[in-house]
């Protein structure tokens, strides 16, 4: 049966590669920086130019398709995922890296239909690594198949995370308190590429055993989420349940209080990185843009070692 979305995926790969060329050229001569939610939440003209280029090219070929783009949302557009074919775009994932010429800068393009990601493309353009995944057909890097690590002992693992763009002392304290617990499991190491999409591709490649982050957006993770699962990985929320971070009803862990003022998130974050016997977990707690309290309050997290759980009998 013909693959309905193959031509769309081929277009995504081609436009991601073209966007990578634009980013590499801009790296040499145009890194003018402005800021968004904080003095360290950076954006450049190249982010905006690349997103416009991607969206324009898709509209010409697929006029009925819809878009969720990081910079369009920053400019006030809604971030609503419907059942319509939707391109979920982060034109530059790793903007801070781009500004500093730190070598992990990715174009991330996820494509969802009926609120299910059908393909994901992450082009790490300074490494020239094209990560792709088509639902049910595996994950690849430059055409080579990807498989998550087979490590099952968290003490033999490398964990990836990021510090995000909040410098609120309470948030920073919670981030480091969590990091300390993870480091002292102990694990072999903690790393961060500076881009959620590349971190997720590193999980899919088996280079790191898990990645978690609190307070990221749907455009950071939509493409990488499929690349991880097609490489044998698992996406989980803080309750150990399978997560679909691109869905608008995904409970944003970033919430610091619910209506009753209780603190359900800290109850829920009873567990973090668990490396199962068969697959790996990418914990991330996406912040759903617009209309949701996205205060990045990172809660204390405790550590559980790999074991069967009622949520994941296959572990
Ligand atoms: O802004 P951007 O470079 O597209 O995306 C970045 C994410 O990839 C990263 O995981 C997060 O820690 C940063 O705060 C930033 O959100
Ligand atoms: Mg971005």
């Amino acid at each position: 049966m013909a693959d309905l979305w193959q031509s769309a995926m081929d277009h995504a790969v081609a436009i991601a590669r073209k966007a990578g060329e634009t980013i590499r050229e801009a790296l040499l001569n145009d890194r003018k920086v402005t800021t968004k939610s904080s003095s360290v939440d950076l954006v450049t003209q190249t982010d905006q130019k690349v997103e416009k280029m991607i969206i324009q090219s898709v509209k010409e070929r697929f006029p009925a398709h819809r878009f969720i783009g990081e910079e369009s949302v920053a400019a006030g557009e809604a971030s609503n995922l419907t059942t319509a074919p939707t391109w979920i775009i982060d034109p530059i994932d790793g903007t801070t890296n781009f500004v500093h010429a730190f070598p992990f800068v990715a174009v991330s393009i996820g494509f969802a239909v009926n609120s299910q990601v059908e393909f994901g493309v992450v082009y790490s353009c300074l490494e020239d690594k094209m990560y792709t995944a088509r639902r049910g057909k595996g994950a690849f890097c430059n055409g080579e198949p990807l498989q998550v690590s087979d490590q099952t002992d968290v003490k033999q693992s490398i964990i990836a995370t990021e510090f995000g763009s909040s410098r609120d002392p309470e948030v920073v304290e919670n981030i480091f308190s969590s990091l300390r617990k993870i480091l002292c499991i102990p694990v072999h190491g903690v790393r961060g590429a500076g881009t959620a999409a590349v971190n997720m591709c590193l999980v899919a490649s088996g280079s790191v055993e898990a990645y978690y982050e609190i307070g990221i957006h749907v455009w950071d993770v939509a493409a990488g989420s499929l690349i991880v699962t097609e490489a044998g990985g698992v996406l989980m929320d803080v309750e150990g349940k399978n997560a679909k971070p691109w869905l608008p009803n995904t409970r944003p862990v970033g919430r610091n209080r619910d209506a009753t003022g209780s603190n359900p998130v800290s109850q829920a974050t009873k567990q973090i990185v668990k490396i199962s016997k068969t697959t790996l977990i990418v914990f991330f707690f996406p912040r759903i843009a617009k209309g949701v309290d996205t205060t990045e309050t990172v809660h204390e997290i405790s550590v559980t070692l790999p074991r069967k759980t009622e949520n994941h009998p296959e572990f």
Side-chain angles (χ1 to χ4, degrees), residues 48-240:
Q48 294 152 347
K49 177 182 169 186
V50 165
E51 183 167 311
K52 284 196 179 86
M53 177 183 80
I54 294 172
I55 292 177
Q56 187 52 43
S57 76
V58 173
K59 278 184 176 171
E60 284 162 11
R61 287 199 56 186
F62 308 100
H65 289 188
R66 301 184 61 162
F67 303 92
I68 296 175
E70 177 177 11
E71 306 316 333
S72 307
V73 172
E77 281 192 25
S79 167
N80 295 324
L81 185 64
T82 65
T83 56
T86 306
W87 297 64
I88 306 171
I89 301 163
D90 188 340
I92 298 185
D93 190 42
T95 298
T96 302
N97 291 352
F98 168 68
V99 169
H100 291 268
F102 187 76
F104 299 106
V105 178
V107 181
S108 179
I109 302 175
F111 178 72
V113 183
N114 298 323
S115 301
Q116 169 133 15
V117 178
E118 287 294 341
F119 66 72
V121 171
V122 173
Y123 182 42
S124 179
C125 60
L126 305 189
E127 299 179 278
D128 193 21
K129 287 187 175 179
M130 183 68 75
Y131 295 93
T132 59
R134 175 78 179 85
R135 188 162 62 88
K137 298 190 175 182
F140 300 86
C141 177
N142 292 347
E144 291 301 314
L146 295 176
Q147 180 64 36
V148 292
S149 158
D150 57 6
Q151 180 55 256
T152 60
D153 179 356
V154 67
K155 292 182 180 171
Q156 313 287 326
S157 66
I158 285 186
I159 306 301
T161 190
E162 296 295 337
F163 302 130
S165 49
S166 168
R167 297 297 179 262
D168 173 286
E170 182 196 352
V171 173
V172 171
E173 178 44 43
N174 284 324
I175 287 175
F176 278 89
S177 162
S178 306
L179 189 58
R180 191 180 307 116
K181 290 191 175 188
I182 294 164
L183 211 48
C184 298
I185 291 175
V187 295
H188 278 180
V190 174
R191 302 287 186 274
T195 132
V198 170
N199 286 331
M200 294 175 85
C201 291
L202 291 171
V203 171
S205 312
S207 304
V208 300
E209 272 64 42
Y211 160 60
Y212 76 94
E213 185 171 352
I214 291 183
I216 41 177
H217 290 89
V218 64
W219 44 77
D220 295 310
V221 300
S225 62
L226 189 68
I227 292 169
V228 165
T229 52
E230 286 297 320
V234 172
L235 311 175
M236 290 177 76
D237 65 17
V238 289
E239 292 165 325

